[in-house]
Amino acid sequence: MLGTSVAAIRCVLDEHPSPAAELTERSARSTVQIRQRARREIPKDVLTRLYLDERHSLQAIADMTGFSRGLLTDLAREYDIPIVGFQGRQPRVTIERSWLFEQYVVRRRTLPDLAREKGMSRSNMARWARVHNIPLRRSGGASHGAALRTIELAAYFPAILRSGLTSPFAWQRMRNFAAASSFPSMHEAARALNINRSTLVNQINQLEADLGQPLLERATRGRAMKLTSFGKRVVTAINKIPSEEGVHRALTAPDWRP
């Protein structure tokens, strides 16, 4: 309708974000706490790796981590990480299925590595994988060591949660789900948690897929959102995790031992 692309619009919004709504005292305090947690959980080196080295979009990183895209944009500017602008259409490069299968599946090279070789973005390389029906390995921006620690840490979680611990950002999904479960709708939960609604919905959908059962009965007209019986058990288990800081340290510190 506007004769432009989604990438161009996102670039404009990065450079000229819409004015923020006036904060109440309670929401301002919550915003400060969320920003402090974001600095702790996504330091400069992590955001640089995800955004510049692995070329995830800010929205993709928001979906991974549970922090809003706007907050990640603010963090990037605070860290002096350049916001990648819209560069126009790149020359179309055709990726053959046989090459991609050999490099990605057989040789286990990463999508960012393959994308750099072909001069395209990671998202474009992932799109070629989907075109050729090549299943994508689960990603989350973690290093190999962090992925292994995630698997090891699962043994220390309540059994009901273990299948949901699929990446270093899975704990963020669990925590956001538990916090959202007390609100009557996804909209109200997202607003209170300072998270984009679609990001919160995607995280809970992913957690339900990982755990294999519905966690919430979504709100309908005249009826508030509520937990399923399985969802209640999951929230109870999440609330029994003794140390949020310990979970984060376990997933990120190279020398952490439980």
Side-chain angles (χ1 to χ4, degrees):
M1 182 185 300
L2 298 177
T4 187
S5 69
V6 173
I9 293 173
R10 284 179 174 170
C11 178
V12 171
L13 289 176
D14 281 338
E15 296 298 330
H16 305 285
S18 58
E22 185 175 348
L23 296 176
T24 64
E25 181 179 351
R26 178 181 177 183
S27 60
R29 185 164 55 250
S30 175
T31 298
V32 169
Q33 292 171 347
I34 291 170
R35 187 177 295 272
Q36 290 173 341
R37 195 172 75 233
R39 291 192 187 99
R40 184 172 63 248
E41 298 187 11
I42 312 179
K44 181 176 181 178
D45 61 324
V46 172
L47 187 56
T48 299
R49 172 168 54 81
L50 291 174
Y51 186 57
L52 296 183
D53 297 342
E54 300 186 7
R55 302 182 73 173
H56 294 285
S57 68
L58 288 173
Q59 185 58 56
I61 299 172
D63 291 339
M64 292 175 198
T65 64
F67 296 107
S68 71
R69 184 172 180 276
L71 176 54
L72 292 175
T73 300
D74 290 343
L75 271 187
R77 290 179 175 139
E78 180 180 317
Y79 295 156
D80 291 325
I81 297 173
I83 302 297
V84 179
F86 179 65
Q87 301 297 327
R89 294 186 181 274
Q90 297 177 334
R92 181 174 178 82
V93 177
T94 299
I95 302 299
E96 299 292 338
R97 188 184 192 281
S98 57
W99 178 85
L100 185 54
F101 188 90
E102 169 71 20
Q103 301 297 320
Y104 183 66
V105 178
V106 178
R107 299 190 183 184
R108 306 290 291 178
R109 293 176 63 189
T110 65
L111 288 179
D113 185 27
L114 299 176
R116 281 191 294 269
E117 179 176 324
K118 294 296 184 179
M120 63 174 59
S121 68
R122 179 196 178 280
S123 61
N124 280 337
M125 188 61 71
R127 191 175 301 116
W128 275 109
R130 289 191 288 269
V131 166
H132 293 314
N133 293 317
I134 296 176
L136 294 175
R137 297 192 291 269
R138 184 180 296 277
S139 64
S143 66
H144 181 65
L148 290 177
R149 286 192 297 278
T150 301
I151 296 171
E152 294 171 355
L153 187 66
Y156 297 88
F157 268 56
I160 195 173
L161 301 179
R162 289 174 191 168
S163 61
L165 197 66
T166 55
S167 79
F169 298 115
W171 172 241
Q172 181 77 22
R173 288 196 292 269
M174 293 181 186
R175 182 173 56 195
N176 285 345
F177 157 66
S181 65
S182 62
F183 291 89
S185 70
M186 289 286 190
H187 176 76
E188 292 186 44
R191 183 171 57 186
L193 297 174
N194 195 30
I195 300 174
N196 183 278
R197 181 184 178 280
S198 63
T199 297
L200 180 61
V201 170
N202 288 340
Q203 287 197 329
I204 293 177
N205 287 345
Q206 180 64 57
L207 185 58
E208 288 180 321
D210 290 339
L211 296 177
Q213 295 189 47
L215 297 168
L216 291 167
E217 293 179 12
R218 270 53 171 181
T220 59
R221 186 179 296 275
R223 190 183 71 181
M225 178 174 71
K226 67 177 183 178
L227 288 164
T228 64
S229 58
F230 178 71
K232 292 177 182 178
R233 292 164 54 204
V234 169
V235 169
T236 299
I238 291 171
N239 290 335
K240 287 182 179 179
I241 302 297
S243 171
E244 175 179 317
E245 294 301 321
V247 171
H248 176 64
R249 187 166 62 252
L251 293 173
T252 57
D255 58 350
W256 184 89
R257 289 293 182 273

PDB file of all heavy atoms in Angstrom, residues 22 75 144 151 248:
ATOM      1  N   GLU A  22       3.176   8.454  28.459  1.00  0.00           N
ATOM      2  CA  GLU A  22       3.561   8.939  29.779  1.00  0.00           C
ATOM      3  C   GLU A  22       3.462   7.809  30.783  1.00  0.00           C
ATOM      4  O   GLU A  22       2.479   7.056  30.834  1.00  0.00           O
ATOM      5  CB  GLU A  22       2.646  10.092  30.186  1.00  0.00           C
ATOM      6  CG  GLU A  22       3.053  10.732  31.497  1.00  0.00           C
ATOM      7  CD  GLU A  22       2.198  11.943  31.819  1.00  0.00           C
ATOM      8  OE1 GLU A  22       1.455  12.389  30.918  1.00  0.00           O
ATOM      9  OE2 GLU A  22       2.267  12.427  32.961  1.00  0.00           O
ATOM     10  N   LEU A  75      19.303  -0.291  23.999  1.00  0.00           N
ATOM     11  CA  LEU A  75      20.541  -0.908  24.473  1.00  0.00           C
ATOM     12  C   LEU A  75      21.636  -0.802  23.427  1.00  0.00           C
ATOM     13  O   LEU A  75      22.794  -0.516  23.749  1.00  0.00           O
ATOM     14  CB  LEU A  75      20.298  -2.387  24.800  1.00  0.00           C
ATOM     15  CG  LEU A  75      19.851  -2.760  26.210  1.00  0.00           C
ATOM     16  CD1 LEU A  75      19.849  -4.267  26.360  1.00  0.00           C
ATOM     17  CD2 LEU A  75      20.746  -2.120  27.261  1.00  0.00           C
ATOM     18  N   HIS A 144      28.137 -22.823  21.283  1.00  0.00           N
ATOM     19  CA  HIS A 144      28.036 -24.263  21.474  1.00  0.00           C
ATOM     20  C   HIS A 144      28.135 -24.603  22.958  1.00  0.00           C
ATOM     21  O   HIS A 144      27.403 -25.449  23.475  1.00  0.00           O
ATOM     22  CB  HIS A 144      29.150 -24.959  20.690  1.00  0.00           C
ATOM     23  CG  HIS A 144      29.133 -26.449  20.800  1.00  0.00           C
ATOM     24  ND1 HIS A 144      28.104 -27.229  20.317  1.00  0.00           N
ATOM     25  CD2 HIS A 144      30.018 -27.307  21.355  1.00  0.00           C
ATOM     26  CE1 HIS A 144      28.356 -28.498  20.549  1.00  0.00           C
ATOM     27  NE2 HIS A 144      29.509 -28.573  21.181  1.00  0.00           N
ATOM     28  N   ILE A 151      21.613 -28.012  28.195  1.00  0.00           N
ATOM     29  CA  ILE A 151      21.235 -29.416  28.305  1.00  0.00           C
ATOM     30  C   ILE A 151      21.583 -29.960  29.688  1.00  0.00           C
ATOM     31  O   ILE A 151      20.792 -30.661  30.335  1.00  0.00           O
ATOM     32  CB  ILE A 151      21.936 -30.236  27.205  1.00  0.00           C
ATOM     33  CG1 ILE A 151      21.442 -29.787  25.825  1.00  0.00           C
ATOM     34  CG2 ILE A 151      21.700 -31.725  27.397  1.00  0.00           C
ATOM     35  CD1 ILE A 151      22.217 -30.375  24.673  1.00  0.00           C
ATOM     36  N   HIS A 248      20.551 -17.769  35.242  1.00  0.00           N
ATOM     37  CA  HIS A 248      21.215 -16.963  34.218  1.00  0.00           C
ATOM     38  C   HIS A 248      22.718 -17.209  34.220  1.00  0.00           C
ATOM     39  O   HIS A 248      23.341 -17.349  33.157  1.00  0.00           O
ATOM     40  CB  HIS A 248      20.932 -15.487  34.451  1.00  0.00           C
ATOM     41  CG  HIS A 248      21.654 -14.589  33.489  1.00  0.00           C
ATOM     42  ND1 HIS A 248      21.400 -14.600  32.134  1.00  0.00           N
ATOM     43  CD2 HIS A 248      22.647 -13.673  33.686  1.00  0.00           C
ATOM     44  CE1 HIS A 248      22.190 -13.729  31.528  1.00  0.00           C
ATOM     45  NE2 HIS A 248      22.951 -13.158  32.441  1.00  0.00           N
TER      46      HIS A 248
END
